[in-house]
Amino acid sequence: MGPHPAVAAIRLAVRHVLHDVLTEYATAHVPPTPAASPAAPQASPAAPTASTAAVPAPASRARFAGTPRPAGPTAPAAAPLILVACSGGADSMALASALSFEAPRQGARAGGITIDHGLQDGSDLRAREVVGRLRALGLDPVESVRVDVGRGGGPEAAARDARYAALDEAAQRLGAAAVLLGHTRDDQAETVLLALARGSGVRSLSGMAAASGPGGRYRRPFLQIDRQVARKACMVQSLPVWDDPHNVDPAYTRSRVRHEALPVLEKALGRGVVASLARTARLSRDDADALDAWAADAERGVRDADGGLDVPGLYALPPAVRRRVLRRAALAAGSPAGSLFSRHIEEMDKLITGWRGQSALNLPGRVSARREQGRLVVRREDRRDDRRDGFGAD
């Protein structure tokens, strides 16, 4: 008899992502074909080489109580490493279990990283417990990384920034081909709802990408899987999980969305709200990707040899494309993406569509935008005092 449907679902999702990651990895690591040489000696077929050495026998794995884990194939030491970011919660533990099962069968090694944010008493003890659980699943290497969470952008954003910085460092240091994240369809729906509440554009409505980060480092296999499926997969495999109290703390915006806003919407509109919001993310991402590609092509057509942007050319573009071109120009000049908001782009747009002789705009990152002689010039300025960006406080 096959695995429980919930277990089968998470394994299939991970299998698909591993296939994509390993295909990309193989393409990027194809060795150059040596030139044929008639004088080259022929290798003896009886002499084994390092590349054809037999895969070592499977190592025995520790087991959770009541969870039979027959030894499966073991990936060779030279196989690409796939890491899972695991908090110990149901989503990431389900992901870790699926990775431990699928990775060696796909010719990859499976490792794990847990991040200790230090925001709760005993967080170091929980991090060590997660390390033990991941090792019991057969993952290797497994690390716990302690981070210092700042205050910029609020507690949730600060924790996220610290977490991704630590994951980036670990992935580079360990040479990981990818890092798997346990975000589910429910997480995607919450992200879209938060973007709607902020009045964000189509890029924010596209939610979390299935692949993101440098070179597509971060992969999210569970974006089409409900949170309850992941929890059920943990339960039937007797995997211990940790429920973060922050996830039910109303002090956090996402917690209020999860436990208050979404239940109200489902009661009023039906139980398909989560699936509909996740579908909105998928459709919005397609639209945003198309508009971004259009903007990249349009920018090349309006940028002159000195780096300025042709105002009549910008004016002729559709507003959605023009604003993307302006954002690209501000980012290229040095404005930090996290500090460049829609109101900045709207004011830049007025230099094109509502020109009344305005003075230069001060953008985040010591960047200015000014209109001169039919051109828009966006560049970094050497200003002594950049405490004001010309738009007031956030």
Side-chain angles (χ1 to χ4, degrees), residues 206-231:
S206 65
M208 295 175 286
S212 64
R217 169 180 295 153
Y218 296 107
R219 306 295 174 119
R220 298 175 175 87
F222 288 177
L223 287 183
Q224 301 303 317
I225 291 180
D226 291 338
R227 185 175 292 137
Q228 290 305 315
V229 172
R231 184 169 289 275

Side-chain angles (χ1 to χ4, degrees), residues 248-270:
V248 295
D249 187 345
Y252 295 94
T253 304
R254 185 174 287 270
S255 175
R256 295 195 300 273
V257 168
R258 180 175 303 179
H259 298 288
E260 299 176 25
L262 272 175
V264 168
L265 285 175
E266 289 189 333
K267 183 177 180 180
L269 303 176

Side-chain angles (χ1 to χ4, degrees), residues 115-117 119 147-166 252:
I115 305 299
D116 176 11
H117 297 86
L119 298 177
V147 297
D148 293 322
V149 177
R151 296 180 178 272
E156 293 168 282
R160 181 176 61 249
D161 290 345
R163 179 166 60 252
Y164 277 102
Y252 295 94

Side-chain angles (χ1 to χ4, degrees), residues 91-391:
D91 302 340
S92 56
M93 281 300 299
L95 181 58
S97 73
L99 179 63
S100 72
F101 182 86
E102 292 291 341
R105 289 165 172 78
Q106 299 294 323
R109 293 179 294 135
I113 298 289
T114 187
I115 305 299
D116 176 11
H117 297 86
L119 298 177
Q120 302 171 19
D121 292 338
S123 63
D124 55 336
L125 297 177
R126 276 191 299 275
R128 286 199 291 270
E129 289 176 358
V130 173
V131 167
R133 293 171 187 174
L134 295 178
R135 286 176 176 159
L137 284 169
L139 274 62
D140 181 42
V142 176
E143 294 185 357
S144 170
V145 180
R146 178 68 178 260
V147 297
D148 293 322
V149 177
R151 296 180 178 272
E156 293 168 282
R160 181 176 61 249
D161 290 345
R163 179 166 60 252
Y164 277 102
L167 291 174
D168 279 335
E169 187 280 329
Q172 294 172 1
R173 175 167 44 81
L174 297 173
V179 179
L180 306 190
L181 305 176
H183 298 119
T184 64
R185 183 164 68 171
D186 301 78
D187 296 309
Q188 185 76 297
E190 293 160 9
T191 301
V192 174
L193 195 56
L194 285 166
L196 284 169
R198 290 192 298 263
S200 302
V202 67
R203 174 55 69 187
S204 291
L205 291 179
S206 65
M208 295 175 286
S212 64
R217 169 180 295 153
Y218 296 107
R219 306 295 174 119
R220 298 175 175 87
F222 288 177
L223 287 183
Q224 301 303 317
I225 291 180
D226 291 338
R227 185 175 292 137
Q228 290 305 315
V229 172
R231 184 169 289 275
K232 184 68 173 180
C234 289
M235 185 182 72
V236 299
Q237 295 180 100
S238 299
L239 296 177
V241 299
W242 172 65
D243 291 316
D244 187 348
H246 283 173
N247 290 336
V248 295
D249 187 345
Y252 295 94
T253 304
R254 185 174 287 270
S255 175
R256 295 195 300 273
V257 168
R258 180 175 303 179
H259 298 288
E260 299 176 25
L262 272 175
V264 168
L265 285 175
E266 289 189 333
K267 183 177 180 180
L269 303 176
R271 293 184 58 82
V273 169
V274 167
S276 296
L277 288 170
R279 184 166 58 252
T280 295
R282 191 165 61 253
L283 296 173
S284 296
R285 182 163 297 279
D286 291 342
D287 291 347
D289 289 345
L291 287 169
D292 286 347
W294 188 353
D297 184 63
E299 182 182 9
R300 291 189 289 270
V302 299
R303 191 175 287 280
D304 59 30
D306 296 326
L309 299 172
D310 178 62
V311 168
L314 286 171
Y315 188 88
L317 294 173
V321 178
R322 181 173 61 244
R323 289 171 183 152
R324 279 171 165 75
V325 172
L326 296 177
R327 178 177 173 81
R328 287 171 58 90
L331 293 174
S335 278
S339 302
L340 191 65
F341 302 123
S342 59
R343 57 191 171 84
H344 297 118
I345 307 305
E346 289 168 3
E347 291 299 319
M348 291 180 71
D349 198 42
K350 289 179 183 177
L351 294 176
I352 309 300
T353 62
W355 175 243
R356 299 185 306 278
Q358 298 97 310
S359 60
L361 298 174
N362 292 332
L363 302 172
R366 299 177 182 265
V367 172
S368 72
R370 60 168 49 86
R371 177 167 168 164
E372 53 185 38
Q373 300 179 347
R375 300 164 66 245
L376 186 70
V377 178
V378 185
R379 64 189 175 203
R380 185 176 176 85
E381 301 287 354
D382 185 17
R383 300 195 302 268
R384 292 185 179 182
D385 185 357
D386 65 335
R387 289 175 295 179
R388 295 179 58 84
D389 64 7
F391 298 90

